[in-house]
Amino acid sequence: MHRSAPHLARLLVGAAVPVMLVAGCSSGSDSSKDDAQKAAAASAAASKSASPSPSTVAAKYAELPDPCRVIGAKTVKSLVPKAKKPAGSPAHSAERDERGGCSWNGLDGYQYRWLDVSLQRYDTVAGLGSAEEQAKERYAEQVAEAGRVKGAKSAPVAVDGVWDAGTAVTSTAKKDKEEYRDVTVVARTGNAVLVLTYNGAGLEDAKTPAGSGLKAGALKAAKEAATAVAAANA
């Protein structure tokens, strides 16, 4: 039995409808996907613009503690027996919230000891970078300087502690025929950098202090100083 031409045409049209509907749904899905991607991109851009740039990030520490109090009296007495000024001799600074220092020295019999600590804090400044970035640069400079000291016995060595980065350098020097041994600890905690030096000598042919003992003492004092910086901003 043969179908008439009109009837066959109606069947062909009916068969084409589902294909057209599928194509229409596919087109709508791509459009929605594009819109979603555009919205996500716009949200990400807005979030990025709202995030603070490195040069505007607030400084971790807003102030520095009294440099002559960052090392405990017990530690000072242990490292510098019979110190001339147990309370320390402060380094004068017109910007005490940004930098400061203190030192102790004493002679116990023929054993001479010197302890010194300096602190420097940075603020975020447009054009100079964030406070922490500036502290990182200063830390690197101080480590390099300590490594260039005449008589340095070895390259700077990284040391663990209550800081973000720490380095120790041991050196020896001769003065008035006496041999002095020195340990310098450079440390960075947040946007603050501390440099601590501890040295000693045995005068009049007295025994020169061991470098290992000086290093242990220097690290102990440096850790106390770094802890004091954090405590002052708690």
Side-chain angles (χ1 to χ4, degrees), residues 84-153:
K84 291 181 179 179
K85 295 183 179 181
S89 300
H92 298 292
S93 173
E95 302 170 315
R96 296 193 61 178
D97 62 329
E98 294 182 10
R99 60 178 58 83
C102 192
S103 62
W104 299 261
N105 68 87
L107 183 63
D108 182 12
Y110 292 104
Q111 288 294 325
Y112 175 78
R113 296 292 183 275
W114 169 281
L115 176 65
D116 178 273
V117 63
S118 65
L119 305 172
Q120 188 159 4
R121 186 188 65 81
Y122 293 86
D123 282 317
T124 294
V125 178
L128 294 180
S130 70
E132 188 163 318
E133 287 173 340
Q134 294 179 71
K136 287 180 179 180
E137 291 180 6
R138 182 57 176 168
Y139 168 77
E141 292 171 356
Q142 291 290 73
V143 169
E145 184 176 326
R148 288 194 297 266
V149 170
K150 184 178 180 180
K153 296 179 71 67

Side-chain angles (χ1 to χ4, degrees), residues 19-196:
V19 176
M20 292 173 67
L21 288 175
V22 171
C25 289
S26 175
S27 176
S29 175
D30 289 343
S31 177
S32 298
K33 188 176 181 180
D34 289 343
D35 290 343
Q37 290 176 337
K38 290 178 181 179
S43 177
S47 176
K48 185 176 181 180
S49 63
S51 300
S53 65
S55 61
T56 60
V57 175
K60 182 177 182 180
Y61 300 130
E63 58 182 88
L64 291 175
D66 181 342
C68 289
R69 294 186 179 184
V70 296
I71 301 173
K74 186 176 179 180
T75 299
V76 170
K77 185 176 181 179
S78 172
L79 299 183
V80 189
K82 297 185 178 180
K84 291 181 179 179
K85 295 183 179 181
S89 300
H92 298 292
S93 173
E95 302 170 315
R96 296 193 61 178
D97 62 329
E98 294 182 10
R99 60 178 58 83
C102 192
S103 62
W104 299 261
N105 68 87
L107 183 63
D108 182 12
Y110 292 104
Q111 288 294 325
Y112 175 78
R113 296 292 183 275
W114 169 281
L115 176 65
D116 178 273
V117 63
S118 65
L119 305 172
Q120 188 159 4
R121 186 188 65 81
Y122 293 86
D123 282 317
T124 294
V125 178
L128 294 180
S130 70
E132 188 163 318
E133 287 173 340
Q134 294 179 71
K136 287 180 179 180
E137 291 180 6
R138 182 57 176 168
Y139 168 77
E141 292 171 356
Q142 291 290 73
V143 169
E145 184 176 326
R148 288 194 297 266
V149 170
K150 184 178 180 180
K153 296 179 71 67
S154 62
V157 178
V159 289
D160 294 328
V162 291
W163 38 62
D164 296 307
T167 299
V169 178
T170 301
S171 63
T172 60
K174 283 246 181 177
K175 183 179 180 181
D176 298 329
K177 297 183 180 181
E178 305 290 355
E179 183 176 78
Y180 289 77
R181 285 186 178 167
D182 176 279
V183 176
T184 298
V185 177
V186 183
R188 180 187 68 81
T189 173
N191 57 308
V193 176
L194 73 87
V195 179
L196 182 140

